[in-house]
Every structure is written in structure tokens, then in C-alpha cells.
Amino acid sequence: QVQLVESGGGLVQAGGSLRLSCAASRPITNFKTMGWYRQAPGQQRELVATIESGGSTNHAQSAMGRFTISRDIVQNTVDLQMNDLKSEDTGVYYCYALFTLVDGSTRPRWGQGTQVTVSL
């Protein structure tokens, strides 16, 4: 069973920074895709950034220039560095992983989420 555990959330003032980390129970290089999503109160979960097994990354328009997704193969984590945080970045941030089964199908897994609150 794949487990994802997030850490690093908290309360920060607008303009500040936070670094989220996602630890996986399997080697992160085994996953097809890993990433971060967020969900603000009353809104749908939305993509923040993803990183593919080959290392290529994708960032949502709202995250470009401020957030950076990366991975540490030694620590076996996928991290999200968030700079210049804004109040609209407030929400629960979820770690996401997509892995491939032996039959070629894929399965998504989610972490429990970590709260990020940006105050004005």
C-alpha cells in the first residue's frame, strides 16, 4: 500500500515562504507522476505542480514564478517551495502520486493534506 505523508504547512504572512515536503513509502522514482494539489474552502481541488518520473515539471499558471516543485531521491521526498505567498494560496495542500500496476493500468494515491494559511 502506497502511503504519502505531507509536512511543512502552517501559518505565514503574505509575502512569506513555506516549503512543503511529501515523503513516500516507496521509492519516488517508481511513480509515473508525483505532485501537489490544493483545495481552498468551498472550491474544487486544483493542480499546483507535478513532476514526472523523468524529472520534467509542470506548474499551474497561478504558481509560475513563485512555486517550485522538486524531488530529493536520497531523502525520497517531493517538495514544493512556495515564495511570495498570497492570501489566495490558502488551502489544504495534498501530495499526489500516480503509479503503474503490472497490467499497465495506473492508480492515484493522495496524502492526508497539510494546511497552509496565508494572512494579510
Side-chain angles (χ1 to χ4, degrees):
Q1 185 76 3
V2 176
Q3 291 185 330
L4 305 171
V5 179
E6 302 99 335
S7 62
L11 173 64
V12 64
Q13 287 187 328
S17 299
L18 281 175
R19 187 177 183 86
L20 305 183
S21 187
C22 174
S25 60
R26 295 184 185 178
I28 59 174
T29 51
N30 286 0
F31 299 109
K32 182 179 185 297
T33 305
M34 293 190 73
W36 290 91
Y37 284 68
R38 69 185 181 191
Q39 188 166 17
Q43 297 186 21
Q44 291 187 333
R45 195 171 297 188
E46 63 176 4
L47 169 73
V48 177
T50 59
I51 185 166
E52 302 298 321
S53 58
S56 60
T57 62
N58 176 52
H59 294 77
Q61 187 70 31
S62 60
M64 284 185 183
R66 300 188 299 127
F67 296 3
T68 303
I69 190 170
S70 63
R71 65 183 181 181
D72 187 327
I73 294 175
V74 173
Q75 296 295 325
N76 204 47
T77 61
V78 173
D79 303 322
L80 184 69
Q81 177 66 42
M82 305 187 293
N83 298 327
D84 190 24
L85 283 160
K86 304 176 181 179
S87 58
E88 51 262 43
D89 295 318
T90 293
V92 179
Y93 283 68
Y94 296 91
C95 181
Y96 163 84
L98 187 68
F99 63 98
T100 305
L101 300 178
V102 291
D103 64 0
S105 64
T106 56
R107 291 289 185 272
R109 285 292 182 266
W110 297 92
Q112 293 298 309
T114 185
Q115 177 70 43
V116 171
T117 303
V118 183
S119 63
L120 294 174

